[in-house]
Each structure stands twice: as C-alpha cells, then as structure tokens.
Amino acid sequence: MKRIWALRSFAAAATLAMVTAACASPSTHSNAAVTASIELGPRPYYLVADMDDGPLKRALEECARSPRPMKVSDFSIAHRGAPLQFPEHTEESYRAAARMGAGILECDVAFTKDQELVCRHSQCDLHATTNILETGLASQCSTPFSPFDGTNTASARCCTSDITLAQFKTLKGKMDGTNPRATTVQEYLRGTAAFRTDLYSNNGTLLSHKESIALFQELGVKMTPELKTPSVAMPWQGNYTQQDYAHQMIEEYREAGVTPDRVFPQSFLLDDVHYWINHEGAYGKQAVFLDGRDSQGLDPENPGTWQPDMDTLRGYGVNIIAPPLWMLVTTDSDNRIVPSAYAKAASAAGLDIIAWSLERSGPLADGGGWYFQSVTPAINNDGDTYTLLDVLARQIGVIGVFSDWPATTSFYANCLQQDNHASK
C-alpha cells in the first residue's frame, strides 16, 4: 500500500509540473529552461504501476521514488514530436517532446510546389494533418474532398507539392486522422483516434525544415530528419531530382551551422542513404536506413528474405539500421519477449539499431496491434510497454527508441540506461 501511495504522490507532483509548463507561452521556453526542467508527467508512473510484478517493475518503482531530477536522453527520440496528444510536426509538439526529455527530435521532410522543405510525415497528408480543406487552398488540392455516399468512403488528397511554402505557413496543424463516413468537410476532419486527444489541436504551428532546425538548436537537442519518399514523379517539375532533394536537406544543416555529429539523416530508400554516405561527408556517417522491407516479404526469422543482408549493408557503409519494433523481437516457448534473429544478426554485423515506435498502439490489452505483432501472446496490459523496452535496451542494445510520448522512453533511460545514453 505504501508503494502505491508513493507512486500516486509522485505522479500527482509530476502532473502539476506538466500542467504548469503547458500553461507557459511557447515563445518563453528558453533552451536553459527546457534542459533544466524535464517534466515527465504521470504516464511513465501509470505504466510502471500496471506492470506485472518482477525485478524490472521493482527497479522502475525504486527509480520512481528517487528524488533525483530527470535528464535529457539521446535514447529518447521524439517521433514527430509528441503526437499522442499534440499535432505532429508542429512547434507545440516539438516543445512538449523536449520538455519530456527527448534528446533527439524528428522532422519528416517533404517539399513544396516551389521546392522548399517542410516538416510533414507524408508529402500528401495535408488533408489529414492540417485544416487545409477548411481554407481557400482546398481548391489547389490534388484531389478535392469527396463525401461518403453510402458506398464509397469520404476522401481527399492534399500535398505539400500542391502549394507554396508561403501558403503552407498559413495552415494550422491538427491531430492526424480523417472520418471515412463523413458527409461534410467538418465531419471529415474529425477523425482523431480515441486514445489520442484534440485538446491541443486548435492552433498547431507548422514549420519549414529550416524553422525546425532553428527551433531544435534553441531547445539544445539533436536532429533526425527523414527524407520522405516522394508521392509525385521525380524529377519534380522536370528539374528537381531525388539527389537534389537529398542534398538540399543536408545543405540546410550546413547553412545553419549544425555539426554532423548532431544530425541523423534517415530514409526508407537505400539509395538516399548511399548518396549521403558517398557525397555528404561526415553527415553520411550517421545516416539511418529505415528498414521497411517487411512490405516486400522480409521475415525477421528468415535470413534468406533479407536482401541485402546485414553484412552487405555494413559493407555499403551503413552504420545504423532502424526497423519497426516488432521486427526486433519474438517470443520463446514460455511466451517471454526475446530478441529476433534479425536483431541478433544486425548486432553481429556491427550495426547500431534504432527502433520505432512506442505509444502508437493505444491500450495494449488486445495485444498491441501492428507494432507488437510479433509478440502478441506476451502483451496484455499497458505495463508491457516497459517489458518490451527493456528487451530492446538491455538484450538487443538499441541506441535509441522513437516514441509518440517521449516521457515513456526518457523515464526508462534515466532509470536504467543513464550511464550509457543520458546527456550530461
């Protein structure tokens, strides 16, 4: 009983601190204020309380009772900011992630009609992540809004390449989601998943890539830009090639004076990673190959499906590989989470590993969905988030984990990975 009350008291204090921080104007958050005032809120402690009893739970409970302050950690990577509650890739989302101790923040990079770079998860997601359909810019969308007609679902397609940077900056970010049964634009835009919230979704501030760099510099964090696979034919407008796009992204870090050791460029396209390694000097050394080859038949337990294999990737000069969570783990005969053959091979080849993404599945009582698909038999409560994270960190040795709510990974890093990953 004393342990439960200690956790509740700790969570209540953390909640008050988080609310106080949220009330401050974003423009008043200095780098010093953020790095000195890491606030995790109640969620990590809720997850610990929900864990099955065992050594890991007891270790995290002991950490929760400790009065030591939390620190920024590079192990905690903010996936699009903090989109469990804040509109992704907005200033507000990024500031929340930094406040929760994320040492690395992500800008997914897409390009506009006038070949400027902006932060969006997909080149063609503006209809789902912004208010564009409620503005005059809706007429420029690739595919206008079409309502649900009883048979065909509601749809629209609005791309960053449909509009200029100046036009993009007039939009507001919202929580990602659409309503497929909508008969009006207003209904269509109300598609937020039930486990997220619209409380912070009224005025999301969109950012260009250059603006994200300036913000991340202010916050004192490292940066992991992802070059998004184009949704339009390349070369764009007849002259903007894929290599132009890949180079432009890196060049904006050079121009801002960001040193290569603070940048982790990412792409699902191995050709992009090759380009950075071969043409962008030190910026290519931390290039991350995002491994989405499961869509091409990759089986984490069958090395014959890994083309190219881990040793070949290493021979190409790839130093970091980043697959989804489920590809790194499986279950043993006792339904315990253990490293997959894929994870063991990546480590054996000398590849550093980053995993994505925690806190995207909602409540885990039903097995966790797509991100936990390889360990569904071992997942039955939200506390299993930390069981999985512990296997990733201590049995596989991942160097970082993306999360939609960075407090979860920041808490773990401070408790059990501090010597290796927490910034000093």
Side-chain angles (χ1 to χ4, degrees):
M1 182 61 71
K2 290 181 179 178
R3 178 174 295 170
I4 292 173
W5 279 110
L7 285 172
R8 286 177 177 170
S9 297
F10 200 102
T15 302
L16 178 61
M18 195 71 171
V19 170
T20 302
C23 290
S25 168
S27 63
T28 67
H29 291 179
S30 69
N31 175 33
V34 171
T35 56
S37 305
I38 301 306
E39 297 151 356
L40 302 185
R43 183 159 178 79
Y45 312 100
Y46 165 82
L47 294 176
V48 172
D50 197 47
M51 293 177 67
D52 297 332
D53 192 28
L56 177 60
K57 180 174 184 175
R58 291 191 288 273
L60 293 175
E61 284 177 334
E62 182 64 29
C63 181
R65 288 192 295 269
S66 170
R68 69 184 180 190
M70 296 288 143
K71 297 181 180 180
V72 175
S73 172
D74 291 350
F75 182 80
S76 180
I77 306 174
H79 184 236
R80 316 183 200 177
L84 186 62
Q85 291 194 20
F86 294 85
E88 63 187 42
H89 294 308
T90 62
E91 179 179 353
E92 294 77 9
S93 191
Y94 288 136
R95 288 190 182 276
R99 179 68 74 180
M100 288 186 279
I104 304 175
L105 270 57
E106 177 189 46
C107 168
D108 289 331
V109 179
F111 58 83
T112 61
K113 187 175 183 178
D114 50 349
Q115 299 177 11
E116 296 290 341
L117 303 184
V118 296
C119 297
R120 282 295 92 195
H121 175 64
S122 169
Q123 186 173 18
C124 294
D125 72 1
L126 297 183
H127 55 280
T129 64
T130 76
N131 65 337
I132 190 170
L133 290 176
E134 294 182 307
T135 75
L137 294 175
S139 63
Q140 296 180 217
C141 289
S142 297
T143 304
F145 171 70
S146 177
F148 174 61
D149 62 8
T151 301
N152 300 302
T153 59
S155 63
R157 188 172 189 263
C158 304
C159 307
T160 58
S161 51
D162 292 334
I163 59 177
T164 66
L165 173 60
Q167 291 171 325
F168 174 84
K169 287 290 294 175
T170 67
L171 301 176
K172 295 296 183 181
K174 75 174 194 69
M175 295 299 281
D176 183 16
T178 58
N179 177 3
R181 300 182 69 84
T183 58
T184 67
V185 166
Q186 289 69 32
E187 290 177 350
Y188 185 69
L189 296 179
R190 292 197 291 269
T192 303
F195 62 87
R196 296 193 176 108
T197 178
D198 287 317
L199 288 175
Y200 308 103
S201 191
N202 290 329
N203 297 295
T205 305
L206 302 191
L207 299 173
S208 70
H209 180 235
K210 289 180 180 178
E211 289 173 327
S212 78
I213 295 172
L215 175 62
F216 298 169
Q217 288 177 303
E218 173 197 334
L219 295 173
V221 298
K222 295 178 183 177
M223 312 167 196
T224 184
E226 179 189 334
L227 195 75
K228 300 307 297 187
T229 301
S231 299
V232 297
M234 300 293 279
W236 169 243
Q237 297 177 328
N239 63 1
Y240 187 62
T241 67
Q242 184 69 23
Q243 289 194 354
D244 291 334
Y245 178 31
H247 172 71
Q248 182 180 358
M249 188 184 84
I250 299 298
E251 191 62 22
E252 292 191 352
Y253 289 95
R254 285 197 182 95
E255 292 171 354
V258 181
T259 56
D261 61 302
R262 301 191 66 79
V263 183
F264 296 81
Q266 316 169 72
S267 180
F268 280 99
L269 300 180
L270 190 53
D271 284 348
D272 291 338
V273 178
H274 281 159
Y275 170 78
W276 291 323
I277 291 170
N278 294 325
H279 298 281
E280 297 294 351
Y283 288 95
K285 291 183 179 180
Q286 294 188 151
V288 180
F289 174 44
L290 295 167
D291 197 349
R293 292 178 292 170
D294 56 299
S295 63
Q296 303 165 22
L298 184 149
D299 177 350
E301 298 302 323
N302 182 359
T305 65
W306 312 343
Q307 301 298 327
D309 63 20
M310 303 300 179
D311 289 327
T312 302
L313 288 172
R314 194 73 178 88
Y316 289 160
V318 175
N319 292 317
I320 308 173
I321 194 167
L325 299 171
W326 69 267
M327 285 172 55
L328 292 168
V329 288
T330 187
T331 55
D332 64 14
S333 58
D334 295 319
N335 277 342
R336 293 176 300 191
I337 300 174
V338 295
S340 67
Y342 175 104
K344 294 175 183 177
S347 295
L351 290 166
D352 284 332
I353 305 170
I354 294 172
W356 48 272
S357 297
L358 283 180
E359 304 286 30
R360 286 195 67 77
S361 300
L364 302 187
D366 61 356
W370 189 85
Y371 286 91
F372 292 79
Q373 62 183 280
S374 62
V375 291
T376 297
I379 303 297
N380 57 29
N381 59 58
D382 289 340
D384 288 329
T385 298
Y386 278 129
T387 304
L388 172 61
L389 187 56
D390 192 59
V391 173
L392 293 172
R394 295 205 283 186
Q395 294 188 41
I396 297 173
V398 301
I399 63 171
V401 178
F402 281 95
S403 176
D404 280 18
W405 198 243
T408 299
T409 44
S410 296
F411 174 74
Y412 179 90
N414 273 270
C415 291
L416 299 178
Q417 292 285 299
Q418 189 165 354
D419 291 342
N420 294 326
H421 298 287
S423 298
K424 303 300 182 185

